Amino acid sequence: MSPAVIQYTLPDFFSLCAFNFSKPSPHLQASSAAESKAWVASFNVVNDKQNAIMEKSQSELLSALAYPYAGREGFRTTCDFLNLLFVLDHISDDMNSKDANGACEVFYQVMADPDFKHESNLAKIILDFRQAIIRSAKPQFFKHFLSDLKRYAKAVAQEAELRETGEVLDLIHYVPLRRENSAVRCCFAFIEYNLDIELPDAIFDDPIFQSVYFAAVDMVCWTNDLLSYNVEQAMGHTSNNIVTVLMREKDASVQEAADCIGVVFEQLMTRFLKDKTRLPSWGADIDRDVTLYVEALTRWVGGNLVWSFQCSRYFGTANSVALLTRLVTLYPKDSKRDD
C-alpha cells in the first residue's frame, strides 16, 4: 500500500507582511550576477551535485531583491558573499561534525586574519573575497561583519554536531542558534556596507533597536525554516528546523506547526512596526542612518519572501503553484528530485 499523501497549507506570508516589496536591483540583469557565478566556479570548491543545488538557489536573485539599493560594486560584492554562504552551507551538509568544524574555522579565520594559511580551495576563495572587500569596507562595518561571521561559523559547526547525533533542541535553545547559523545576521551586516553607513555600537546595544532588529531576523529564520522544510525532511535533514522543533515540543502536526509559524510571523511583524516608532534619537545624522538601516531590514524580509517563491530551491518547478495555492505536498523521504 502506498503511504498516505501528506499536504499542508502555508500561512499567507505576503498578506501578513506589511512591508513594500521592492523591484530587484537593475544590476541583476547586468554582468555582475554572471561574474559572481563564474567567480565561484573558478575555484572548484563545490562538486557537481552541490553546484546543481546552488543553481536552484539563485543567490544573485536574493541579492537583487534584498539589496535593491546597492550600487554595482556593492551588488557584485554582496553576490559573492551570498555565494560563499551557500558554498559553506552545502559542503558542510555533507560533512561529519569534525570536518564541518574545520571548514567553519577556515571560513572565519581566513576572513579575520590575512596571515592565516590554508591550502584548501575554500580558503583560497575566501581569501580572494577578503582581498576584494577590504578595499572598500569601512572599519565599523567590517568589525560588525567579523563579529557576526564568528558567531555564524561557530553555530554552523554546532549544527553539524547536532545533525550527527540526531539531537533536536527545544525552542528556547533553538531560536538563538538559528539566528546565528542562518547567516541572516551576516547578511544584515551588508546593509551597512551597501548603504555606505557606519552605525555606532551603541545603536546595536539599544534594547528597542534590538527588538526591531531581531524581529526582522526571526521573520526571515522562521519563514525560511517552514519554506525549506519539505526539501530538508526528504533529505533527512530535519534537526535544524523550527517545524521539527515545534512538532516535537508541542506534539503538533506539520500543519499545526505551519499555523504556529504564521501566528509568530504576525506577532513579529506587529512588534517590528510598534518598536520602530519607539526608537530613541541619537542626533540627526545617526537618526538618518538608523532610518535607512531599518528600512533596509524591511526590504530584506520582503525580498526574502519573494525570492523564496521565485527561485526553485524550495519548491522546484512547483514554486508558482506553492505561491498561488499555498499548498505543499510532502516529498517521500530520501527522494531524488530533479525538478
Side-chain angles (χ1 to χ4, degrees):
M1 180 180 294
S2 300
V5 174
I6 298 176
Q7 293 182 314
Y8 55 98
T9 302
L10 299 170
D12 190 354
F13 288 122
F14 287 94
S15 293
L16 295 173
C17 185
F19 306 146
N20 294 324
F21 296 98
S22 302
K23 294 181 179 179
S25 165
H27 302 299
L28 179 64
Q29 303 303 327
S31 58
S32 300
E35 289 170 356
S36 184
K37 191 176 296 185
W39 173 73
V40 175
S42 71
F43 284 89
N44 196 31
V45 71
V46 294
N47 60 36
D48 290 344
K49 175 186 174 184
Q50 293 159 348
N51 185 64
I53 299 174
M54 285 188 65
E55 286 288 330
K56 292 182 178 182
S57 300
Q58 295 177 254
S59 57
E60 296 84 7
L61 175 62
L62 177 58
S63 295
L65 290 164
Y67 309 93
Y69 47 85
R72 187 189 186 283
E73 181 182 350
F75 177 74
R76 166 63 200 276
T77 303
T78 305
C79 284
D80 288 351
F81 180 66
L82 291 190
N83 273 320
L84 284 180
L85 291 177
F86 281 113
V87 164
L88 184 61
D89 180 48
H90 295 310
I91 65 174
S92 65
D93 273 352
D94 294 333
M95 291 177 171
N96 59 35
S97 60
K98 179 181 177 181
D99 290 343
N101 187 71
C104 291
E105 180 73 8
V106 167
F107 196 92
Y108 172 72
Q109 289 296 341
V110 174
M111 200 79 77
D113 181 3
D115 297 322
F116 181 82
K117 303 299 182 185
H118 199 276
E119 295 304 315
S120 66
N121 288 345
L122 178 63
K124 292 174 183 176
I125 192 174
I126 296 168
L127 179 61
D128 194 69
F129 174 81
R130 187 191 192 280
Q131 291 171 338
I133 194 173
I134 204 70
R135 293 194 292 266
S136 57
K138 289 187 173 182
Q140 191 76 344
F141 152 74
F142 202 65
K143 184 182 78 169
H144 292 157
F145 169 61
L146 287 181
S147 177
D148 292 332
L149 194 69
K150 186 174 185 178
R151 289 191 300 267
Y152 164 70
K154 181 179 179 181
V156 171
Q158 183 180 350
E159 175 191 344
E161 293 173 2
L162 294 169
R163 184 170 61 245
E164 191 169 75
T165 61
E167 181 181 356
V168 177
L169 297 177
D170 58 21
L171 187 61
I172 197 170
H173 291 99
Y174 177 78
V175 170
L177 176 66
R178 191 63 179 134
R179 286 172 173 174
E180 307 301 344
N181 69 14
S182 65
V184 173
R185 299 189 68 186
C186 295
C187 294
F188 282 5
F190 272 77
I191 292 174
E192 281 187 278
Y193 176 77
N194 282 304
L195 289 174
D196 197 29
I197 62 175
E198 293 184 285
L199 295 184
D201 293 343
I203 305 299
F204 291 96
D205 293 336
D206 178 81
I208 300 177
F209 181 87
Q210 286 185 352
S211 178
V212 172
Y213 175 89
F214 281 113
V217 171
D218 290 344
M219 278 189 275
V220 175
C221 290
W222 285 60
T223 53
N224 275 10
D225 272 13
L226 177 56
L227 299 178
S228 67
Y229 176 75
N230 195 16
V231 173
E232 291 181 359
Q233 65 82 30
M235 296 188 299
H237 295 170
T238 57
S239 60
N240 185 61
N241 194 293
I242 192 67
V243 175
T244 302
V245 172
L246 291 171
M247 289 174 68
R248 292 204 177 189
E249 187 155 314
K250 299 180 178 296
D251 191 25
S253 65
V254 177
Q255 184 62 66
E256 289 168 335
D259 293 342
C260 177
I261 291 168
V263 170
V264 171
F265 183 89
E266 187 171 16
Q267 293 170 343
L268 291 168
M269 180 64 66
T270 299
R271 190 180 94 196
F272 183 101
L273 296 172
K274 177 183 177 182
D275 287 344
K276 173 185 171 184
T277 66
R278 299 174 56 237
L279 288 167
S281 175
W282 291 276
D285 290 342
I286 295 178
D287 288 353
R288 177 188 64 84
D289 289 348
V290 169
T291 298
L292 289 172
Y293 187 95
V294 171
E295 175 63 24
L297 291 177
T298 71
R299 293 177 184 270
W300 224 105
V301 173
N304 177 71
L305 278 176
V306 175
W307 167 77
S308 297
F309 288 94
Q310 285 191 0
C311 73
S312 54
R313 179 178 176 87
Y314 299 142
F315 305 108
T317 56
N319 49 6
S320 296
V321 175
L323 175 63
L324 293 173
T325 68
R326 296 187 283 119
L327 190 64
V328 178
T329 301
L330 212 61
Y331 295 126
K333 283 185 171 53
D334 300 319
S335 61
K336 304 293 190 250
R337 299 181 307 107
D338 299 315
D339 53 353

